[in-house]
């Protein structure tokens, strides 16, 4: 089946909502981009999932648009982040797979969203997980972030801040290029501490610079080390769901501290806040087989079925972006954040992007080229999606069901069959 024929199967029109870009001459808005890690497709209270405790993210959704058809750039960490930060598919951004310590990361010649906003006069900062390279030229301070606090490799132990994967023990907590030690403090609390301090600093600054703040949390990614009060909250529930939900609630509380500080400083009306998960929930051994949920969808992290790449996503800017809207029609993608945030802020976006501004979905005449065709590749597995039609090839079975013979090449109409299991 050709891509052109595939696209014709899913042509549709988009109902629209009012939206706006930055007015000429108005002060440019601040931007906060929040990324969760290994969060399931429906694991948000605003999605109607009853056992989830996420009041702060739910409140953010109530003050903005929650997208139900939003997709990560990949089903694993590094390429997902590369797509989000560059607005380009991970293969084109040079990060087709996970970046390992000492291995090649995001190329210096790629233009990141931080570089775009820095060039536009913004103060830029990253507090959290990088996972896009720890070699010279590939670190956050080399990629447009004036300030960095967090870990550069993959996941870390939340209390000791040591790299969690195999090999020799490697401590991985940094302030810019200086190693720092903060044993005994939960990593998410450190992220919230750094973010709120940055907000206070920017509110007090008289340099006229708005800010771009990127907050990629290491949660609810394993190790599932929730804080004590949230472990107690879910103590009556069986694991691994209880462990996962406690970790998710821990992250929500930490995000809430940042958003509360934004309100306390009177910056909410002039700040765009965007949120998504980097991909679906984990079913790995380190996650006790998986406590997250993709709802009706098949798949999880590592899978190009919906549960691996369909993620919770929110865009909020009170008074400028529709509030309390649940958008069931826009096919959003992580690569869209760069052009979307640029357009909302009145900043020219780079050329040669794969993402499209979500603002297009709200602009009259409100009949647009949405849904559009989207692509994913993770080695042999690949997928193409347009509207409610999705073609998947060579998918791994991360939902712990053995792959059926028909899985080698599967065409699904998602609206009618969201969790396709082809016959053997």
């Amino acid at each position: 089946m050709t891509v052109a024929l595939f696209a014709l199967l899913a042509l549709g029109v988009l109902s629209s909502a009012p939206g706006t870009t930055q007015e000429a001459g108005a002060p440019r808005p601040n931007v906060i981009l929040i990324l969760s890690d290994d969060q399931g497709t429906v694991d948000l209270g605003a999605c109607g999932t009853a056992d989830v405790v996420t009041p702060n993210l739910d409140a953010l959704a109530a003050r903005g648009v929650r997208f139900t058809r939003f997709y990560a750039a990949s089903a694993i960490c590094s390429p997902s982040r590369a797509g989000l930060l560059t607005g380009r598919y991970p293969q084109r951004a040079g990060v087709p797979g996970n970046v390992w310590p000492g291995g090649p990361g995001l190329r210096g010649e790629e233009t990141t969203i931080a570089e775009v906003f820095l060039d536009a006069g913004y103060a830029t900062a990253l507090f959290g997980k990088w996972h896009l390279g720890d070699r010279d030229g590939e670190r956050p301070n080399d990629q447009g972030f004036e300030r960095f606090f967090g870990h550069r490799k993959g996941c870390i132990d939340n209390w000791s801040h040591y790299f969690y994967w195999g090999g020799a023990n490697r401590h991985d907590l940094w302030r810019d290029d200086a190693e720092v030690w903060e044993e005994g403090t939960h990593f998410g609390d450190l992220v919230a501490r750094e973010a709120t301090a940055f907000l206070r600093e920017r509110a007090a600054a008289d340099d006229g610079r708005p800010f771009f703040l990127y907050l990629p949390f290491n949660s609810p990614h394993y190790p599932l080390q929730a804080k004590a009060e949230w472990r107690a909250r879910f103590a009556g529930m069986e694991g691994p769901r209880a462990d996962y939900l406690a970790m998710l609630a821990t992250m929500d509380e930490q995000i809430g501290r940042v958003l509360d500080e934004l309100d306390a400083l009177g910056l909410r009306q002039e700040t765009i806040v965007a949120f998504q998960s980097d991909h679906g929930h984990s079913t790995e051994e380190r996650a006790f087989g998986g406590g997250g949920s993709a709802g009706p969808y098949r798949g999880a992290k590592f899978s190009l079925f919906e549960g691996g790449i369909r993620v919770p996503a929110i865009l909020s800017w009170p008074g400028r972006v529709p509030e309390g809207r649940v958008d069931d029609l826009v096919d959003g993608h992580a690569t869209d954040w760069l052009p979307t945030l640029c357009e909302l802020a009145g900043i020219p976006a780079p050329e040669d992007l794969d993402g499209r501004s979500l603002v297009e979905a709200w602009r009259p005449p409100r009949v647009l080229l949405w849904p559009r065709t989207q692509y994913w590749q993770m080695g042999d597995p690949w997928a193409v999606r347009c509207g409610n039609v999705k073609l998947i090839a060579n998918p791994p079975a991360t939902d712990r069901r053995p792959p059926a013979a028909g899985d080698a090449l599967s065409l699904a109409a998602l609206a009618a069959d969201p969790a396709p299991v082809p016959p053997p």
Side-chain angles (χ1 to χ4, degrees):
M1 179 182 293
T2 67
V3 170
L5 178 58
F6 178 81
L8 287 173
L9 290 172
L11 288 177
V13 296
L14 171 74
S15 66
S16 61
T20 183
T21 57
Q22 180 67 353
E23 298 175 0
R28 284 180 170 167
N30 307 305
V31 178
I32 301 178
L33 177 57
I34 305 172
L35 190 67
S36 64
D37 199 341
D38 288 15
Q39 183 175 355
T41 307
V42 299
D43 285 329
L44 198 66
C47 294
T49 307
D51 59 356
V52 171
V53 178
T54 54
N56 294 293
L57 287 172
D58 298 344
L60 183 67
R63 301 177 78 177
V65 178
R66 179 172 64 84
F67 300 96
T68 66
R69 293 160 61 115
F70 201 96
Y71 290 84
S74 178
I76 53 176
C77 291
S78 296
S80 175
R81 291 154 202 276
L84 179 143
L85 290 178
T86 66
R88 288 154 52 88
Y89 288 125
Q91 288 71 25
R92 297 219 302 137
V95 187
N98 269 338
V99 175
W100 298 103
L106 183 64
R107 301 175 299 216
E109 58 264 32
E110 292 295 326
T111 299
T112 71
I113 189 170
E115 290 172 311
V116 173
F117 277 83
L118 181 64
D119 289 345
Y122 276 64
T124 61
L126 187 169
F127 306 128
K129 171 179 175 175
W130 176 237
H131 203 185
L132 285 171
D134 59 353
R135 306 186 306 180
D136 289 345
E138 299 172 346
R139 298 167 185 157
N141 297 114
D142 303 317
Q143 304 276 13
F145 293 100
E146 296 175 299
R147 304 263 293 275
F148 168 65
F149 180 92
H151 57 107
R152 302 193 302 216
K153 301 177 178 66
C155 59
I156 59 171
D157 181 277
N158 286 284
W159 299 103
S160 69
H161 316 131
Y162 273 75
F163 182 58
Y164 194 67
W165 283 89
N169 289 339
R170 285 170 284 191
H171 180 260
D172 189 20
L173 187 64
W174 304 84
R175 186 179 297 281
D176 299 324
D177 286 328
E179 188 174 16
V180 295
W181 300 79
E182 300 231 22
E183 303 98 319
T185 303
H186 196 278
F187 179 68
D189 286 341
L190 294 175
V191 172
R193 181 194 73 188
E194 295 294 315
T196 53
F198 177 78
L199 293 179
R200 290 192 293 270
E201 176 188 307
R202 295 314 309 162
D206 59 1
D207 57 11
R209 299 177 73 193
F211 62 80
F212 173 81
L213 176 59
Y214 175 43
L215 298 177
F217 281 80
N218 188 48
S219 301
H221 194 293
Y222 55 79
L224 298 177
Q225 299 166 317
K227 295 175 67 178
E229 56 268 35
W230 293 112
R231 290 201 309 272
R233 167 66 173 77
F234 295 98
M237 181 184 294
E238 292 185 3
R241 183 68 171 169
D243 303 294
Y244 168 86
L245 290 179
M247 193 67 175
L248 183 60
T250 296
M251 180 192 70
D252 182 81
E253 173 205 309
Q254 292 156 343
I255 291 173
R257 266 185 255 155
V258 179
L259 299 179
D260 287 347
E261 188 67 28
L262 195 67
D263 283 329
L265 293 169
L267 296 176
R268 189 66 185 89
Q269 297 298 122
E270 56 198 74
T271 303
I272 302 165
V273 180
F275 167 83
Q276 74 156 88
S277 175
D278 66 342
H279 45 64
H281 66 285
S282 172
T283 57
E284 297 163 86
E285 181 180 9
R286 291 174 176 84
F288 306 107
S293 174
Y297 305 109
R298 183 180 181 186
K301 180 181 180 180
F302 296 105
S303 169
L304 296 180
F305 285 112
E306 291 289 276
I309 54 177
R310 191 164 180 155
V311 295
I314 300 167
L315 176 63
S316 175
W317 187 11
R320 306 297 292 274
V321 166
E323 296 191 38
R325 176 176 172 83
V326 178
D327 200 315
D328 295 316
L329 295 177
V330 171
D331 285 344
H333 192 275
T335 57
D336 295 340
W337 288 126
L338 195 161
T340 298
L341 296 173
C342 282
E343 181 163 358
L344 288 173
I347 297 172
E351 298 180 355
D352 197 26
L353 299 181
D354 296 309
R356 294 175 54 178
S357 173
L358 297 168
V359 177
E360 295 178 24
W362 304 323
R363 183 184 298 119
R366 301 178 181 177
V367 178
L368 307 165
L369 296 177
W370 299 79
R372 85 300 182 101
T373 307
Q374 300 168 321
Y375 308 89
W376 297 266
Q377 184 173 6
M378 293 169 47
D380 289 336
W382 57 266
V384 182
R385 182 186 186 277
C386 188
N388 285 318
V389 182
K390 184 177 178 183
L391 183 65
I392 313 172
N394 311 312
T398 58
D399 54 8
R400 291 171 285 164
R401 282 183 285 183
D407 277 351
L409 192 63
S410 174
L411 180 65
L414 295 172
D417 191 9
V421 183

